[in-house]
Amino acid sequence: MLVKTKAIVLSSLKFQEKSLIVKCFTLSHGLKSYFVRDAFSSRKANQKIAYFQPLTILEIEAVHKNKGTLENFKEIKIASPFHSIHSDIYKSTIVMFISEMLHHSIHEEEKNEHLFTFLETALHWLDNHAEIANFHLILLLETTKYLGFYPDISDMDMPFFEMNEGVFTPFHAISSLTEHESNLFKKLIDLKFDNNQKIFHVIERQMVLRILIDYYSFHLDGFKKPKSLDVLKEVFS
């Protein structure tokens, strides 16, 4: 089946000496993996590899056999080039981290247009703004809306957030955050991309990030802590 769709690059893995295996989140078919033969051997190798940087938004034409095997691109072009994401060390580090989080979080080969549109809009926001210290925190929390485990905020006046059920409670349980952690999490829930990015101190931001990663671990089977987490902490310390 010939498919034309937008796709967000989640990961690319070198295969043997010359080829790539590229995992994309597509608008039309959800998660798909593609085989790119001779990605490193042609005269246009640099151009080809640039297509597959983390979270690049592509317009693709591809052959989907839908047999659980690797699919193949026929045509690729960048849907809308980023101006700063891949050249700014802070933004590129955030994007590397988010792509790894999404790689470990999105598993279904079915379309999720709302999630795709949210991610596309958020990436363009990141590309066009300078105050971005909390971007990854807000994005990861908002993404849980589309993955099915956004916190129940109906009792946000309660002092403790219970991670397993995703609810605020009056009592502290084994899987609850402390009252201080719960208050930081409440701050995050109220944040939007355009809010004051200095609302958290560095230590608080790292604490909130740890809470989010633990929260993902509670709700996604086989979730792995991103290897790029240490790089993110180093850049934003």
Side-chain angles (χ1 to χ4, degrees), residues 63-161:
V63 176
H64 285 182
K65 295 180 180 178
N66 297 317
K67 294 181 178 179
T69 55
L70 295 174
E71 314 290 14
N72 291 284
F73 294 117
K74 282 183 68 68
E75 299 287 342
I76 316 168
K77 65 178 181 179
I78 293 177
S80 42
F82 292 133
H83 304 294
S84 65
I85 281 180
H86 296 305
S87 58
D88 180 296
I89 182 64
Y90 296 102
K91 293 182 181 182
S92 61
T93 303
I94 283 176
V95 158
M96 179 174 64
F97 170 73
I98 290 171
S99 67
E100 198 175 352
M101 286 289 291
L102 294 173
H103 173 79
H104 292 310
S105 303
I106 301 172
H107 302 299
E108 293 81 13
E109 283 200 19
E110 58 185 48
K111 68 178 179 181
N112 187 336
E113 292 182 3
H114 295 298
L115 175 55
F116 188 98
T117 301
F118 164 70
L119 293 173
E120 182 180 30
T121 303
L123 289 167
H124 284 301
W125 186 95
L126 176 65
D127 192 42
N128 289 294
H129 289 79
E131 296 295 322
I132 49 119
N134 299 318
F135 174 85
H136 54 304
L137 306 178
I138 300 168
L139 183 138
L140 290 178
L141 180 62
E142 289 294 308
T143 297
T144 66
K145 289 179 179 177
Y146 308 97
L147 297 178
F149 56 97
Y150 187 76
D152 181 346
I153 59 174
S154 55
D155 291 313
M156 263 181 69
D157 55 327
M158 297 296 179
F160 302 105
F161 182 70

